[in-house]
């Protein structure tokens, strides 16, 4: 019997038990952003640690940080074989607005072969799959084909503020040959994808201040600068009519998309018309000369995420607002540095600031972009494992979003990162009615189990970045 056949039998026999265990995990309201859930965070870490021990892993520990703890475990008895570091997170997003949930967010329910609960897809369900894949290999084979380490944190949903410090302090403990993360998605139902790159992030808030208080628009209108008008002028200066960013030096370090990558994206046969229908828009928009996939995967962005100021209640209030503000995020691509981009934004804002106001810029989230060449052996091995289970070709994609700690892992540990996710874009992660398609839960368990065997075919030196 092949290892895949043995895995199939094991997972079929134990499916209901595994699903019930996952429901236990999902019932714990491990919301890292809310201090009221601090005890729940520790409960989730303890549940995960117990699950790792049950799976057969060793040296299981709950490691303290300045925030929520990191759960660590390993098994290191595959002499001469590569070591895989599995990263994930056990914290989840807040559940608001609660009234939009069709069932309680921390009371998991299965409907239409989908598991509904906060964290089902992002990321408890996907973390749990790695734990059960390890358990299955121990039960069916008696050992693992590779060495494995787990590093599961509790602060990903709040930007992983303490994990870089933890990684720096534990570089030897976390030493590995590759990092595997299941916190991304597939191209669609039945369409597996390996993500080999993510965009970075730089966020700022702009605060425009005019007079010392709001002014009567009849007495002062036309004679004193309106903070909202000044803010609009600054915001309008960021991009031209076709979406090209006008901040000086913004594109200086952007690497051009290769012809090989462009050909791979064309081969995906992405349906832009279907996307327009799904989004309810007449036209897509973006930088001239690029497809939608290129605009959202390999080109940087500058987006206004929110604007505030003045009077927005019912009726009208005839004032000149004294202050106004906006929140802005830039998605960055490889070779762009978040700190440099923020400085360029500040210089641009100062240059385009209208008379009669002052402008204050506050820095927020930052994360570097990352890329592992998609022809890397560990990336291609993931593709083969997907194809064995799903029986269709694997797509190799970049992600438009950001997982800041991925770049930190890349920079601190210097390892190739393999993002092999099993979620779908339609699964409402971060939104009400988050769910996980159980078809991908079932298939993903087998993909992960097979992947450890695919990596075992390589010597550690073959996987160097």
């Amino acid at each position: 019997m092949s290892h895949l056949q043995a895995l199939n039998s094991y997972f079929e026999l134990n499916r209901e038990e595994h699903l019930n265990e996952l429901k236990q995990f999902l019932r714990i309201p491990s919301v890292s952003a809310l201090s009221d859930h601090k005890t729940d965070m520790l409960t989730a870490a303890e549940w995960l640690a117990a699950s790792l021990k049950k799976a057969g892993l060793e040296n299981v520990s709950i490691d303290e940080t300045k925030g929520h703890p990191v759960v660590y475990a390993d098994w290191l008895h595959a002499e001469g074989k590569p070591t895989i570091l599995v990263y994930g997170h056990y914290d989840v997003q807040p559940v608001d607005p609660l009234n939009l949930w069709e069932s309680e967010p921390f009371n998991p329910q299965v409907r239409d072969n989908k598991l509904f609960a906060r964290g089902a897809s992002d990321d408890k369900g996907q973390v749990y799959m790695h734990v059960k894949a390890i358990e299955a290999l121990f039960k069916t084979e008696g050992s693992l084909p590779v060495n494995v380490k787990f590093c599961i944190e509790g602060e990903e949903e709040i930007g992983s503020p303490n994990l870089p410090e933890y990684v720096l302090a534990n570089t030897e403990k976390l030493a590995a040959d590759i990092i595997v993360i299941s916190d991304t998605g597939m191209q669609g139902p039945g369409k597996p994808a390996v993500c080999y790159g993510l965009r970075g992030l730089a966020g700022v808030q702009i605060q425009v201040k005019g007079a010392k208080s709001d002014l009567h628009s009849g007495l002062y209108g036309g004679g004193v600068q309106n903070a909202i008008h000044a803010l609009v002028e600054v915001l309008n200066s960021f991009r031209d009519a076709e979406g090209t960013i006008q901040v000086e030096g913004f594109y200086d370090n952007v690497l051009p998309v290769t012809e090989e990558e462009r050909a791979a994206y064309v081969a995906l046969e992405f349906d832009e018309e279907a996307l327009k229908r799904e989004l309810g828009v007449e036209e897509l928009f973006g930088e001239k000369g690029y497809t939608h996939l290129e605009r959202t995967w390999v080109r940087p962005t500058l987006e206004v995420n929110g604007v505030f100021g003045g009077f927005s209640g019912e009726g009208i209030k005839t004032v000149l607002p004294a202050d106004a503000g906006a929140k802005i995020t830039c998605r960055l691509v490889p070779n762009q540095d978040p700190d440099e981009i923020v400085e360029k934004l500040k210089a641009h804002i100062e240059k385009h600031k209208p008379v009669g106001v002052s402008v204050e810029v506050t820095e927020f989230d930052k994360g570097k972009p990352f890329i592992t060449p998609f022809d890397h052996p560990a990336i291609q091995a993931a593709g083969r494992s997907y194809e064995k289970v799903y029986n269709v070709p694997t797509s190799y994609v970049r992600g438009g979003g950001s997982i800041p700690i991925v770049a930190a892992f890349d920079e601190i540990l210097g390892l190739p990162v393999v993002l092999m996710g099993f979620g779908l874009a339609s699964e409402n992660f971060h939104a009400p009615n988050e769910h996980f398609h159980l078809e991908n839960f079932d298939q993903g368990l087998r993909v992960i189990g097979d992947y450890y065997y695919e990596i075992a075919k390589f010597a550690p030196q073959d996987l160097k970045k």
Side-chain angles (χ1 to χ4, degrees), residues 256-271:
V257 58
T258 67
E259 291 305 314
E260 187 179 17
E261 285 181 294
R262 276 195 147 159
Y265 302 159
V266 170
L268 295 176
E269 298 181 346
F270 182 79
D271 190 341

Side-chain angles (χ1 to χ4, degrees), residues 15-23 110 115 438 441:
R15 187 187 194 258
E16 287 308 309
E17 180 185 343
H18 291 168
L19 201 53
N20 287 332
E21 287 181 8
L22 176 54
K23 288 178 181 179
V110 175
L115 178 59
L438 292 179
F441 173 75

Side-chain angles (χ1 to χ4, degrees), residues 421-459:
F422 300 93
L424 294 176
S426 61
E427 290 179 336
N428 287 17
F429 36 85
H430 291 208
N433 301 309
E434 179 181 349
H435 57 279
F436 193 18
H437 285 69
L438 292 179
E439 175 189 353
N440 292 326
F441 173 75
D442 294 330
Q443 302 283 66
L445 287 165
R446 293 152 173 82
V447 172
I448 293 168
D450 183 76
Y451 184 62
Y452 294 140
Y453 279 93
E454 282 290 337
I455 292 299
K457 296 175 182 178
F458 299 99

Side-chain angles (χ1 to χ4, degrees), residues 54 73 79 83 96 102 146 169 216 261 307 314 324 399 439 462:
K54 178 185 174 185
E79 189 174 348
T83 299
D96 305 285
E102 294 178 11
V146 293
H216 190 290
E261 285 181 294
V307 177
E314 185 178 356
E439 175 189 353
D462 296 333

Side-chain angles (χ1 to χ4, degrees), residues 207-214 226-228 308-310 320-325:
Q207 194 79 32
V208 176
K209 296 184 181 296
K212 64 182 181 180
S213 66
D214 290 353
N226 181 314
I228 291 181
F308 49 93
L320 269 69
D323 58 80

